[in-house]
Amino acid sequence: MSTCTDDVRAPVPSIIRPTSIVFTPDKNRTWAQSFGLSPMAGHTKGRDVAKTIVQECFNLGIRDVVFWAMSESNVFKRSISEREYLVKLLKDDLRSRENENDKIGFRVCGDWKKIIADPELEDLIERAHERTAKYQKQRLTVLFGYRGITDFKRAASKVTEEMGPEAIENEDMIRKHMWVEHLPCPIDMMVRTGVTAKNRHNSDSLLPLHGEHAYVYEVEQYWPDFSVELLYEGFRNFAECKRPKGE
């Protein structure tokens, strides 16, 4: 687990930055409760932090930024009002992006169509995909209603239907049929907030193939308290970490 023992404002040399990074922004609700606020206030603060962190990653030249906005299980665990608010935040972000020209590729991945019936959301996502498909130098992927095992099983089923049951052993082919097929494999770095020794776990099997061998940076701070300084600390840790990749 990460601890801030060095000067977290020290510059980050370009050679140590990951090219791909995944954020699991945990504990928005817990942060809000600690201030006597509603869960919606926590999600709003979390959204604002996400904008800052994602933009900093792109400013540093990172190619792929992945943000896990909502897991498949969270869709069903949250109240209807909270779920609707999270959908509203995503729709607001999609609308704002229509007026931007940042040349960032944008993808939303997950089973959201099946579990969230919202024609307006579907239209906004489709327009975002079409508008930004040509931008591949830097890409933002939002995981919404996403579960890694669901993604894997869906892809494996398609592969066996097309190529026969023996193809289930072909991981490369399965990856090409996943929602996240466009992401590099392996991902360089994964960030998770709100982690303590008592609650460390891999929620909804995040990126079971692409996340293999990734450097995992865990901090105790809740996502609304995550900062650029903590991000830079993670980059320095990433630079010092030797990833054996099974060797």
Side-chain angles (χ1 to χ4, degrees), residues 195-207:
V195 177
T196 66
K198 294 182 178 180
N199 71 356
R200 185 178 290 115
H201 64 292
N202 184 14
S203 298
D204 268 8
S205 56
L206 175 61
L207 302 177

Side-chain angles (χ1 to χ4, degrees), residues 56-68:
E56 185 68 15
C57 288
F58 286 135
N59 289 345
L60 292 170
I62 294 174
R63 184 191 183 193
D64 278 293
V65 179
V66 183
F67 191 82
W68 199 5

Side-chain angles (χ1 to χ4, degrees), residues 1-3 190-193 195 200 216-220:
M1 184 177 300
S2 168
T3 56
M190 304 178 83
V191 178
R192 182 164 189 164
T193 59
V195 177
R200 185 178 290 115
V216 179
Y217 174 56
E218 298 176 333
V219 298
E220 292 185 358

Side-chain angles (χ1 to χ4, degrees), residues 71-136:
S71 69
E72 182 183 274
S73 61
N74 274 345
V75 173
F76 301 104
K77 289 179 181 178
R78 302 300 180 230
S79 66
I80 294 176
S81 60
E82 187 176 354
R83 186 165 67 240
E84 289 177 345
Y85 189 74
L86 288 167
V87 171
K88 175 185 178 300
L89 290 179
L90 178 55
K91 290 196 289 188
D92 288 347
D93 184 68
L94 288 163
R95 292 190 195 98
S96 68
R97 288 182 175 279
E98 292 188 328
N99 299 318
E100 297 175 359
N101 188 28
D102 54 11
K103 297 184 179 180
I104 300 295
F106 187 86
R107 294 279 293 271
V108 177
C109 299
D111 211 11
W112 57 271
K113 282 186 180 181
K114 180 179 178 181
I115 54 185
I116 300 174
D118 191 315
E120 183 184 20
L121 176 63
E122 184 171 350
D123 181 60
L124 286 166
I125 290 175
E126 288 180 357
R127 294 209 308 260
H129 287 179
E130 292 174 1
R131 189 178 65 256
T132 68
K134 60 185 177 182
Y135 301 128
Q136 295 297 313

Side-chain angles (χ1 to χ4, degrees), residues 12 16-18 21 57 60 62 189 215 217 230-240:
V12 180
I16 67 171
R17 297 168 191 165
I21 188 168
C57 288
L60 292 170
I62 294 174
M189 180 174 174
Y215 167 66
Y217 174 56
L230 284 170
L231 179 68
Y232 277 30
E233 181 203 6
F235 289 162
R236 282 193 297 279
N237 292 350
F238 169 81
E240 296 169 359

Side-chain angles (χ1 to χ4, degrees), residues 172-189:
D172 288 338
M173 188 58 63
I174 291 175
R175 275 196 296 269
K176 291 177 181 178
H177 284 75
M178 294 178 75
W179 286 313
V180 292
E181 51 81 23
H182 62 290
L183 294 178
C185 188
I187 290 287
D188 283 338
M189 180 174 174

